[in-house]
């Protein structure tokens, strides 16, 4: 929603700072499209994520690690969690996302019926990162983020940090703005 608000400020010429940072200065999402964007994103974030992915991936995590799964009561050892596990989270997310995304583009049926939805908007905005078919959102967006913490049996604090960092990074990559002078190749 913050991305849509920033787009509004740019269109209304109320923010020269954001206007200078916009990668595609003449591309915006129309009011009708914005409504469609918000509805599918809300469905994915409010229903698919909490009601499908969290129970599914938490059950998978429990099955793999059982009683050895780390909990809030376990000590958080930063040297292990940050120096050993976070790089694995990053690698698992990149490999998982790339593999699934490549499969969606390589299989005409998957592209046509599932992934094409994500490519509907030409004007980038942060919310488009979750504008996807619910199946793609579940398997292509959320599973790769969960993989690292599941594989490494990450402490909950590390997992919460990782989930937030991954989501912020994904939103930045779809935002359509240069942030700290950097643009994601996805937006160029």
């Amino acid at each position: 929603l913050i991305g849509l608000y920033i787009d509004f400020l740019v269109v209304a010429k109320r923010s020269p700072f954001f206007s200078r940072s916009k990668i595609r200065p003449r591309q915006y999402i129309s009011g009708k499209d914005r409504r469609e964007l918000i509805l599918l994103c809300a469905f994915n974030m409010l229903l698919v994520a909490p009601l499908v992915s969290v129970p599914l991936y938490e059950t998978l995590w429990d099955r793999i690690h059982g009683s050895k799964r780390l909990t809030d009561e376990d000590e958080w050892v930063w040297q292990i969690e940050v120096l050993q596990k976070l790089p694995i989270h990053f690698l698992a997310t990149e490999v998982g996302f790339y593999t699934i995304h490549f499969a969606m583009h390589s299989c005409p049926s998957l592209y046509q019926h599932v992934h094409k939805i994500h490519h509907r908007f030409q004007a980038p905005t942060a919310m488009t990162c979750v504008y996807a078919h619910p199946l793609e959102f579940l398997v292509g967006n959320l599973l790769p983020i969960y993989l690292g913490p599941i594989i490494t049996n990450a402490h909950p604090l590390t997992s919460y940090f990782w989930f937030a960092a991954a989501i912020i990074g994904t939103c930045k990559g779809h935002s359509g703005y240069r942030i700290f002078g950097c643009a994601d190749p996805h937006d160029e």
Side-chain angles (χ1 to χ4, degrees), residues 100-117:
I100 293 165
H101 194 245
F102 182 80
M104 297 251 184
H105 277 271
S106 298
C107 176
S109 181
L110 272 178
Y111 184 85
Q112 183 66 30
H113 300 293
V114 178
H115 188 61
K116 187 176 180 180
I117 293 169

Side-chain angles (χ1 to χ4, degrees), residues 54 57-74 146 149-150 153-156 159-160 163:
V54 171
Y57 299 146
E58 291 293 317
T59 300
L60 177 64
W61 199 332
D62 286 339
R63 290 208 173 200
I64 292 171
H65 296 288
S67 64
K68 294 183 181 183
R69 181 176 178 181
L70 295 178
T71 67
D72 289 325
E73 286 98 38
D74 292 310
Y146 257 92
I150 290 172
N153 191 25
H155 190 280
S159 301
Y160 302 147
F163 296 149

Side-chain angles (χ1 to χ4, degrees), residues 156-178:
L157 291 176
T158 308
S159 301
Y160 302 147
F161 170 78
W162 175 248
F163 296 149
I167 291 166
I168 289 168
T170 302
C171 288
K172 185 237 173 262
H174 286 79
S175 71
Y177 290 88
R178 282 183 187 81

Side-chain angles (χ1 to χ4, degrees), residues 72-91:
D72 289 325
E73 286 98 38
D74 292 310
E75 181 183 2
W76 186 76
V77 182
W78 75 268
Q79 296 93 334
I80 294 172
E81 297 294 323
V82 174
L83 300 177
Q84 291 178 11
K85 293 183 181 180
L86 279 180
I88 294 169
H89 299 181
F90 178 80
L91 185 62

Side-chain angles (χ1 to χ4, degrees), residues 23-24 124 172-174 176-178 182-188:
I23 295 168
R24 298 180 189 174
K172 185 237 173 262
H174 286 79
Y177 290 88
R178 282 183 187 81
C182 299
D184 194 288
H186 186 272
D187 288 339
E188 300 261 30

